[in-house]
Amino acid sequence: MTVFLLLYLCIDATHTDCQMVRADSWSGPTAYEQCTDLVPGLTETLTAPNRKRHRFVCEIQGDGAKPEEHKALPAFIHQSFRM
């Protein structure tokens, strides 16, 4: 199993306009636990206003079974506008 640590950089707290940045990754049977152990400390390093807007998420890649506590995020729609 491979797990990616993703940082969602969002314009506001509604999380409707976010940019995803891959921050790290792990492979192996304990990959998800390694990722989730890191998230609280990283979240704490954000400033209070940024904690409301940005978030760290561990996402499992591949066909393996997902841990019970893993919740799927709503799909973000990326739109591009030209003027």
Side-chain angles (χ1 to χ4, degrees):
M1 157 177 26
T2 300
V3 176
F4 292 129
L5 174 63
L6 305 174
L7 171 59
Y8 284 89
L9 299 169
C10 304
I11 302 274
D12 58 32
T14 64
H15 297 112
T16 56
D17 186 11
C18 300
Q19 169 123 15
M20 181 191 70
V21 178
R22 184 174 145 189
D24 208 342
S25 65
W26 295 264
S27 292
T30 62
Y32 188 78
E33 289 78 16
Q34 290 174 339
C35 183
T36 56
D37 287 347
L38 195 61
V39 169
L42 291 172
T43 301
E44 208 171 284
T45 63
L46 296 172
T47 63
N50 283 339
R51 273 185 225 129
K52 294 176 184 171
R53 293 188 311 206
H54 311 318
R55 71 173 122 182
F56 290 95
V57 175
C58 296
E59 184 176 296
I60 297 171
Q61 300 294 310
D63 296 334
K66 295 183 180 183
E68 198 174 299
E69 67 273 8
H70 180 74
K71 303 279 189 266
L73 290 175
F76 292 104
I77 298 170
H78 178 76
Q79 296 179 342
S80 177
F81 298 97
R82 280 192 230 182
M83 296 191 150

